[in-house]
């Protein structure tokens, strides 16, 4: 992949953005190829939902270039890192993505990617930056109130973007090792969930015996739920990484 190739990076993002969406629980409202009506109206004042739905390919690339690729300095970021930062920016805003990138590389966190941030990114191992940035992205979406509605899809997308980004900077062996590690983590979490449900329940009930039974049960439901989410996330990562390894 040629460096700074927005069309190639954009193709990966659009594969997840899909087509038309107007979900009542989505705070972004009507969306076509990841572009909200509010954003489209900056380029086409007064545009209707119907016009957004019929947006041209030229307008799509122009909006993504001006609104996301440019602000995250996509042409200056290393391969792989450019995709993770761009895709996160599309979903949650360029500033938030930039801030998490700056946190990962130890730059001043101001949401504006400048020469100092670029230098620190280039001095860092791209695989480590990609993994850490995707982990921060996942942590952010898990904190959102609508995680229960969209969480599984968000986690699947982040896993796919991470795998694709890593495939641009990794060997086949590295991708296979990444997939194996994710599978092992999921397996360990399954073991923890089993322990929580049986042995752990006995131990923790003794510890919490002074609490009402309703609170004790609620505590274990929460623990089991957290473990279940982590298992799903790592299984998604393992699958995405394994697919990337096969194609490497």
């Amino acid at each position: 992949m040629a460096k700074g190739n927005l069309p190639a990076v954009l193709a990966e993002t659009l594969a997840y953005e899909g087509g038309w969406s107007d979900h009542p629980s989505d705070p972004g409202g009507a969306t076509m190829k990841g572009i909200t009506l509010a954003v489209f109206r900056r380029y086409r004042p007064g545009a209707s939902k119907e016009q957004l739905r019929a947006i041209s390919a030229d307008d799509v690339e122009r909006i993504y270039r001006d609104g996301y690729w440019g602000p995250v300095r996509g042409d200056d970021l290393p391969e792989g890192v450019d995709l993770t930062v761009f895709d996160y920016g599309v979903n949650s805003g360029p500033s938030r993505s930039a801030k998490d990138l700056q946190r990962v590389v130890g730059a001043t966190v101001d949401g504006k990617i400048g020469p100092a941030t670029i230098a620190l990114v280039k001095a860092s191992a791209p695989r480590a930056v990609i993994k850490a940035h995707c982990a921060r992205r996942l942590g952010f979406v898990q904190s959102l109130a609508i995680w229960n509605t969209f969480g599984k899809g968000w986690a699947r997308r982040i896993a796919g973007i991470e795998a694709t980004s890593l495939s641009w900077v990794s060997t086949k062996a590295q991708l296979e090792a990444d997939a194996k590690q994710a599978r092992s983590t999921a397996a360990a979490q399954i073991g923890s969930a089993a322990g929580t449900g049986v042995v752990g329940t006995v131990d923790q009930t003794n510890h919490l015996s002074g609490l009402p039974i309703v609170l004790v049960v609620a505590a274990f439901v929460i623990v089991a739920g957290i473990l279940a989410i982590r298992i799903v996330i790592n299984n998604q990562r393992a699958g995405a990484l394994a697919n990337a390894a096969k194609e490497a």
Side-chain angles (χ1 to χ4, degrees), residues 144-170:
L144 299 178
I146 54 177
W147 164 259
N148 288 338
T149 301
F150 299 105
K152 191 173 182 179
W154 285 340
R156 184 183 300 110
R157 174 174 178 163
I158 294 170
I161 289 295
E162 179 190 24
T164 299
S165 299
L166 287 172
S167 74
W168 291 351
V169 296
S170 305

Side-chain angles (χ1 to χ4, degrees), residues 34 52-53 76-77 93 102 107 113 116 125 130 161 182 186 200 204 226 235:
L52 171 62
R53 197 165 188 172
D76 298 312
L77 294 173
Q102 290 169 330
I113 298 178
I130 290 166
I161 289 295
Q204 290 301 317
I226 292 172
N235 276 328

Side-chain angles (χ1 to χ4, degrees), residues 172 175-176 179 240-248:
K172 184 180 184 70
L175 293 170
E176 290 173 340
L241 289 162
N243 287 335
K246 288 180 182 177
E247 297 174 2

